Every structure is written in structure tokens, then in C-alpha cells.
Amino acid sequence: MRFWIRGTLVIFGVIAICALAGGTLMYWRLRASLPILEGNVAAPELSAPVTVTRDAQGVPMLVGRSRADLAWALGFLHAQERFFQMDGQRRLAAGELSELAGTVTLNQDRVHRVHRFRKRAAAVLAGMMPEEREVLDAYVAGANRGLQDLGAPPFEYLVLRSTPAPWTAEDTVLTVYTMYLDLQEADGATERRRANAEEALGGQMAAFLFPEGTSWDAPLDGSTLPMPAMPDGNIKKRTGFPRPSGEAEEEATSLGSNNWAVGGVLSARGAAIVANDMHLNLRVPNIWYRARLVLKDEGSGTALDITGVTLPGAPNIVAGSNGKIAWGFTNSYVDTSDVVILEPDAERPDLYRTPAGARHLDHVEEHLCPKDAACEILPIEESLWGPVIGTDRQGRKIAYRWIAHDPVAVNLRSILELERAETARTALDIAHRMGVPHQNLVVGDAQGNIGWTVTTAMPKRFGFDGRLPASWADGTKGWSGYLVPEEVPVVYNPENQRIWTANSRVVGGEALGKIGFGAYAHGSRARQIRDGLLAKELFDEQDMLAIQLDDRGVLLERWQALMLQRLRAGAGNPHYAALIPAVENWGGRAVPDSVGYRLVRTFRIELINAAYSAYTAPMRTGEPASASGWPPQPFLPRQADEPVWRLLSERPAHLVPPGYRDWDGVVDAAIEKTLSAVATRADGRLEAFTWGAANRAEIRHPLARAVPGLALFLNPPDEPQSGDLYQPRVAGPGTGASERFVVVPGHEGTGIFHMPTSQTGHPLSPYYNVGHEDWARGRATPFLPGDPKWRLVFHPQ
């Protein structure tokens, strides 16, 4: 027995020593991959020295003599702090992520590889001007030098047992394509759903359930869209499905953002004020990397001084201020793609018809090679108009005409021009030459001018409006190039000196017809921003921050009134009576300790689901498949709130969803589902059914999902957060403001900036997650980098 105990202790001792030795080795490998913060680095590629100073949050200020030199230094910093992120982005766009992550991402690779963005990136590079290629090549060289100068590869590669490949110019183009995949539809989901709805439900019901806007829209021109008619009794012939059960489906969220500007006459400083917060999926590290770039001319004057956010993988400032102008972006959701029905030739079904005659589809084979698994061949069919992405309900092949496939979709020169623009008018002109996913550009200048337009080339359609899939076989429909800049809508110095966008419809009428009927967001955010801007006649940065942090649930107010009315009518039911105090005193804000807000929100989504699950059931039968089998877009559109409210207000007897006695029965069922949610998600404890319990940050490092033990070291605190999807302070699990700033061009020193997580993805960095708490709490922090704490100098040899 004594021998056994002694032997066991020896074994455990050996295990402990091995673990300690392994842990020590891991620790030193981890430390070796830390970025260089101080000292001197020889850099023969530079034309003159570049100095980098970092503040306590790791935000760098780069000072150099040429834009190419600044690009080299920025590439060095990006690679040292964020190379794993850069690698993931290029692989995501190219459909090569499984080569790094294994079969878990193989299906995603199949979806993305259809677009063959690596091949398209080569075409973009071939068309670049010498001056933009000079900056890009300098960035690539700096990134590879930064990777090389790490004492060990970034720690993520150690965990994945992999080796990072060098950065290329092609990879920077792929980084931009990643944003196309994030911000636009890669499968024509909106058009396909419209067509599916019209065929399965009839045009009247489809128009009612899937409106292109609502009464909440707050466009800059004050325009309205016609309200779809209430469907007639024929709908009964198309439904008849039983009452649905199970988990409620959330409305389709819109990654996008808020931005706005006020002119100098409304600004306490006499110049325009620009506010921007870009809502994206949040992660560790954050998508953006803060930087200040200062370009000195030969006489030691300042030729450029620009501060803002950069996207690791690219050499430019994405949004920010250069002292003369400030600008920000929101996703425009304009219509930049079309689903093209391929008509088989009558005599040769293996051919498809085109205006120039029948032709074969081109067949391409792509090789997908996931890590630690056998390669597979992905067959791709390509048409004259783009790749085949699936079939429709009639079994016809459909192709995708997407502007992201065109060389004009990506360029570097225009964003470099924007960095140097001195007036809002100049910036608006540059916007139409940009090569980025189509954005609402809002810009203001030091003279007090403000403006809005949509960036990037827009398709010029003929013969149709792009709302539905169409055949282009006979030449009567299609694209005839792109809109000329003069055709793209612009708003400049409007009479009320206020501009705002929030992913919803910005204009109407002829202007809307030009940019198209995309999948616009619900207008509630834009409306609250507009009303906040109209509530005052003089603003400063703190006033703008207050609008950014507005967490009032204005959209839910009418739903709260409906719920309270029904609860009071049924107060004899003790379960109903128990909810009345929380709903009555709900506070109207999406704050963590609010029980009432979560009750009302749950009630609303259950009502919306009751209607849509019943009415759209015919759409789910015979549903068309995508080329990869990738799941279709949710059936709840972003505008679902309005149709259901109209139903509950007008209460048409012929449209009561199957399985319910009347509309009161629908409302009662939603309350019962809400009570069930309290029972299942809060163990029946109403006081625990708070908004904060559902709306936690859930910001994760990608590896923490695959290796749960790493979460303790990599993820920021998983705290309850204020805000929701329907108000300016957008917040949801893993979603929210990826940056938030307010700035007056020429007065950057009083600007405000917030960013989740931090500059770095390295857990041993002295500023890992520094600044995250200010973002979470909404505390004002400086727009410009603070006092220097570390100094790094690159010297040419």
C-alpha cells in the first residue's frame, strides 16, 4: 500500500513537472510573440525615418515624410498586433479558412469560394495606378517585416499548430472583399425571398408582409412610401397551417451603423460636427485599429494629420478626421446585385440563352483543402452574368450579377484621396469613385458644410427595377454599366443643417429608384436620431454622445400599451396580474435591470412570430436551394413590426392566424409564451427576467470558442449591457458599436472616441482590453491619442 501511494505521488510529481515545463515553454513562446513597443528598427525600404509613439491604450501616432513610408510602418504595426485577424479575413474572402481552422469552416468556404475572389483580386491589382500600388506595396512589405520581427509567430498559430503565410498585395484586396461579404448579400436572398413570397402567397400578401419601408422611415427628404393594402379573404386559400410552436425567431438584424452631422450654424465651435458608430459583430480583437498618421513635408510643415480607425490588412484610415473634414460611414443597403434566371435553350437544354445566342456554362473546379482532412473538389458553374448560386422554385438555375465581382468594386486610390480632402464638397465627389462596399458617407468640414451620398459605382439597370429575379436572355433587361456621378443622389447643406443615416431608406422618389430597393433596416433608429437632432438648435460633442447612447425603446411603446391593456383586461388571472407592475413601470429604456423592457420585447416578438410563422408557411415548402446548401435568410424581415401592428390595430377577421379563435387569442397566446419564457429562462423568477440577463456582451476571441479554457485569458468580462437593436445605442450579444466617435474637424482635441476590447489581440500586452470598460459604460474618452508612453523609430539604412 505504501509502495502504491509513493508510486502514485511520483507519477503525479512527474506530471506536474512536465506540465510546469510545458507551461513555462508556452509562456515564453507567448511572450516572444509580443509586438515591439520601443527601440530602433533598421528599415532599408523607407525613404526617411518614421517615428511611432504609443499612448497608454496602445494607440499609435506615426510621423513620416511620405505616405508610402507611413503605410510601411502601419503594415508593421498591424502585423505585429493583429496578423491572425488579417489572416482570417483574407482566408474568409478567398474561401480558404478551413486550411487554417479545419473542417468546421468547410461549409463556409464552399459558399465563399463560389465567388472566386482570389482570382478577382488579381484583376483589381492589374488595374491599379502606380501611386496607389506604391502605397500598397509598402504596406505589404511592412506587414511582412512586422511578422518576421516577432520573436515567435502570433500565439494563435501555436494553438492551431500552424504557420502564418506571408502577406501579399492580393490579400489586401481580399480584406476589402471580406467587408463585401459582411455588408452585402452574397446570394441574392432579398430578391429570392420576394419572388418566393409572391409565388407562394400571392402578390398582395407578399407586398403586405415584406414591405420596403414603414411609417417609421425618416429619410432626409421627408418622403413616404405607399402603404401596402390589407390582404383580402383569398389568403385563407393559401394558408391553413397549424399554430406554430417552439422558439421564437428573431427579426433579421442589420449590420450597419449610425452616423450624422450638423452644420456649423448649429455647432458650438462654428464647424460641422460629425458622429459615427459602426455596428458590426464584435470580437477579440476588435475589427478596427486606431491610429494617427502625420505626414511632414520637407520644410517640417504638416502635409497631413489624420486620426481615425484603420482596418488591419489595409493601409488607409477608414473613418475619422484630418483637421479639414471629418467623415463616417453606415452600410447603405442599396441594391448592388441582381438574381438572373438562366433560361435553357429550347433545342439544347444543356445551353442557356443570352442576347448573343445560346451558350454553355463555364465549368471551374476549385480545390478545398481543410486542415487535417482530405481535399475536395468544388465544381462551380459560371454564366455570362456571374456564378450559378442555386435554383428557383421551378428548378431553373439562377446566376448572380453582383458589383463585387467587378474590378470597380475595390480600389485604394480614392480612399487615399479622401484622406487629403479639405472640403465636404470634394469628399462627396471622391465618394463616387471609391471602391468599397456601398456606404452612406456623411461628411462635415471646418467651414461648417455637411453632405451625404452613397459611395462606389452603382449599377445602371434597364428594363426592370431589380426587385425580383428576372431573365436577361432576350436583352430587354440587364445592366448598361454604372450610373455616372451626376446621377447618384447627393444631399449638401440641407435647409435644416442636419443629416442622419442609420441603414434605413435615406431618400425617396426618383433618387430611390436610382440606388435601388435594397434590404433597408427598420426606420426606428433613424427616427430617434432625427428627433434628437431636431430637439436642439446648438450642439457640442457631449450632445452628440448623448444621442449615440440613447437607449429609449420608442419602437416598443405601442407594444407596451397593448400588452398592459390586455393584462389589465385579464387581471383576474393571477399570472397576468403578476406581470402588470413590471409592464406598467417598464421605464421605456433598454437598461440591464429592467424586467418590464424584456417582458414587452418578448411579447412583441412572439406576436410577430405568430403572424409570420402562419402566413409564410407555404414559402417553406419547395424552398429553392442555394448552390452550397447554406441556410436561407430568416423569414422575419426587418420591417416585420409594421404589418403585424396593422393587423392588431385593424383586426381583420379573415386574417386571424390559423389555430387562434380571434385576435385577442393571438395576444393572449403571446402573453402565455412570455410567461413560458420567464419559466424556462429565469426559472420562473420574474425578478430575474431582466434585460441584462438576455443582453450580455458575449465578445469572444475566435479561439476561445474552439478551446473553451482560453476564454478566461482572452475574453473581456461578459457583462450586461444597455441598448438594443431598435434604438441608437445598438447592442446585442456579440453585436454593437465597433467604434463610436464624435469630432469637429479642426478641433480634434475635444473629440470623443470609444472602442470595444482594445488595440491588440495579445493577452500579455500591457494594454490588452484597456479602454473596453469606457466603451461599455459610455464614458467620454479622447479622440486623439494621449501622452506618449512608448517610442519606436524606424530608420532607413
Side-chain angles (χ1 to χ4, degrees), residues 44-381:
E45 301 95 333
L46 298 179
S47 64
V50 176
T51 301
V52 176
T53 55
R54 285 179 170 95
D55 68 8
Q57 292 192 8
V59 181
M61 180 170 75
L62 291 69
V63 181
R65 293 291 183 87
S66 77
R67 189 62 184 85
D69 284 353
L70 290 176
W72 188 97
L74 185 63
F76 185 98
L77 300 185
H78 280 169
Q80 291 231 315
E81 302 264 26
R82 302 285 196 88
F83 194 82
F84 184 69
Q85 172 191 346
M86 294 163 63
D87 194 7
Q89 288 170 171
R90 64 178 172 181
R91 291 177 182 275
L92 181 76
E96 298 167 357
L97 198 55
S98 60
E99 294 177 13
L100 180 66
T103 55
V104 68
T105 59
L106 185 56
N107 202 38
Q108 189 177 53
D109 281 353
R110 294 187 185 110
V111 174
H112 293 169
R113 188 71 72 87
V114 166
H115 300 286
R116 304 182 71 206
F117 279 134
R118 185 168 289 283
K119 174 179 177 293
R120 299 183 196 282
V124 169
L125 291 176
M128 278 193 173
M129 304 294 288
E131 57 271 21
E132 66 180 316
R133 191 59 195 261
E134 178 189 15
V135 172
L136 178 55
D137 288 344
Y139 178 84
V140 170
N144 285 323
R145 178 65 185 279
L147 181 63
Q148 172 190 318
D149 282 7
L150 290 172
F155 77 93
E156 294 94 343
Y157 295 95
L158 180 62
V159 176
L160 293 172
R161 296 176 290 109
S162 185
T163 302
W167 194 254
T168 68
E170 194 175 74
D171 295 331
T172 291
V173 179
L174 287 169
T175 296
V176 181
Y177 284 136
T178 298
M179 298 308 294
Y180 272 96
L181 290 170
D182 277 350
L183 299 173
Q184 297 189 5
E185 293 176 355
D187 58 0
T190 296
E191 286 182 35
R192 295 167 72 179
R193 186 178 62 183
R194 285 173 183 154
N196 192 5
E198 289 204 1
E199 181 170 345
L201 308 177
Q204 192 181 48
M205 192 65 177
F208 180 79
L209 290 179
F210 300 99
E212 291 163 343
T214 72
S215 62
W216 288 85
D217 288 357
L220 296 180
D221 59 6
S223 60
T224 59
L225 296 179
M227 185 177 296
M230 184 69 71
D232 60 30
N234 289 332
I235 185 60
K236 280 291 186 182
K237 300 175 183 177
R238 298 181 178 273
T239 57
F241 287 79
R243 177 164 50 178
S245 60
E247 192 81 6
E249 181 181 289
E250 282 283 359
E251 293 157 285
T253 59
S254 51
L255 297 178
S257 318
N258 304 325
N259 65 1
W260 60 87
V262 297
V265 297
L266 303 180
S267 167
R269 303 187 186 281
I273 310 178
V274 175
N276 188 209
D277 41 307
M278 295 188 274
H279 311 141
L280 296 167
N281 292 325
L282 304 182
R283 64 191 184 205
V284 179
N286 187 41
I287 185 172
W288 308 117
Y289 182 87
R290 296 177 65 183
R292 180 178 183 181
L293 307 181
V294 179
L295 185 61
K296 298 285 188 178
D297 62 25
E298 291 184 0
S300 298
T302 301
L304 178 68
D305 186 348
I306 181 169
T307 304
V309 294
T310 68
L311 177 63
N316 55 276
I317 298 287
V318 174
S321 181
N322 67 5
K324 306 293 179 61
I325 67 165
W327 73 94
F329 293 116
T330 70
N331 198 27
S332 65
Y333 286 102
V334 296
D335 191 358
T336 63
S337 60
D338 283 300
V339 176
V340 182
I341 298 169
L342 301 182
E343 292 188 26
D345 183 68
E347 298 181 358
R348 294 280 307 276
D350 57 323
L351 306 181
Y352 71 100
R353 294 175 53 219
T354 79
R359 58 186 291 170
H360 287 282
L361 287 166
D362 294 326
H363 294 268
V364 178
E365 291 186 348
E366 290 281 330
H367 293 262
L368 302 176
C369 296
K371 181 182 176 183
D372 300 328
C375 293
E376 69 172 52
I377 294 175
L378 178 69
I380 298 171
E381 294 180 315

